[in-house]
Amino acid sequence: MASSFTTSFGIEKIATGEQSGSWGTTTNYNIDILDRIASYKSVGLSDASTATLTVRAGSPSDGGNNVQDGMYRIIKFTGTLSQNCTITIAPATTTSYFVFQNATSGGYSIIMKRGSGAATVTIPTTKSNMVYCDGSDEVISVSALFEFGSMSSFTLAGTSGVNQTISDSNT
């Protein structure tokens, strides 16, 4: 039985009795994948209207071709844009979440999409967004689900040891 790969991140599952004497290389590739899943990456964008962020190889032949920028969970996009840039997360079948930061200059948004799905998430320049990809061609803004808007006033009162009221009129 040959090795197989996990659906979302392409971690190689070595078959019983396979890769005798060379399994260390595969294990190291798998650790590289896990390291990326727990880490941050700055990704430079060229001034183009589209780009692709690959999470994993569609059909990995080995772990060496399966360590992509899209495996990082926190990604800071940099570069200078003169137009909005639509970034397609590939492949469309991978379920994953990201925290994206639009640190590009030029004042343009990045638009996250997945495959041919109609749903997109727009991230204005200088803003961040947590995005979830559900594996069915859709991207969902998790940040929008928790958006609280602005508050005209905020009051915090306590009765334990200190009895004060703190007010702030900032939004």
Side-chain angles (χ1 to χ4, degrees), residues 3-169:
S3 290
S4 60
F5 296 87
T6 61
T7 303
S8 291
F9 295 106
I11 295 172
E12 187 170 353
K13 299 189 292 187
I14 302 170
T16 303
E18 188 181 57
Q19 298 187 22
S20 177
S22 65
W23 62 267
T25 301
T26 300
T27 301
N28 288 339
Y29 288 140
N30 285 339
I31 290 170
D32 288 343
I33 292 169
L34 294 173
D35 184 61
R36 287 172 182 239
I37 291 170
S39 300
Y40 151 90
K41 170 86 183 218
S42 181
V43 175
L45 296 175
S46 63
D47 187 19
S49 61
T50 63
T52 300
L53 180 67
T54 303
V55 176
R56 65 170 180 85
S59 298
S61 57
D62 63 56
N65 71 3
N66 202 29
V67 284
Q68 313 294 324
D69 285 346
M71 288 187 171
Y72 291 92
R73 296 305 88 204
I74 301 173
I75 298 176
K76 176 182 181 179
F77 289 109
T78 61
T80 302
L81 300 178
S82 63
Q83 60 199 329
N84 290 338
C85 182
T86 300
I87 301 171
T88 302
I89 303 167
T93 55
T94 302
T95 57
S96 53
Y97 69 91
F98 299 92
V99 176
F100 291 123
Q101 179 186 7
N102 182 354
T104 60
S105 57
Y108 291 90
S109 297
I110 55 174
I111 302 161
M112 305 308 300
K113 71 174 283 215
R114 189 74 182 258
S116 60
T120 61
V121 173
T122 299
I123 306 169
T125 189
T126 73
K127 301 295 181 188
S128 298
N129 201 312
M130 181 177 236
V131 173
Y132 171 69
C133 302
D134 70 358
S136 68
D137 259 3
E138 297 298 325
V139 291
I140 301 153
S141 171
V142 177
S143 297
L145 298 175
F146 295 105
E147 189 172 313
F148 296 109
S150 62
M151 294 182 264
S152 59
S153 66
F154 175 77
T155 302
L156 174 65
T159 58
S160 176
V162 177
N163 193 5
Q164 296 183 37
T165 300
I166 301 169
S167 295
D168 187 359
S169 62

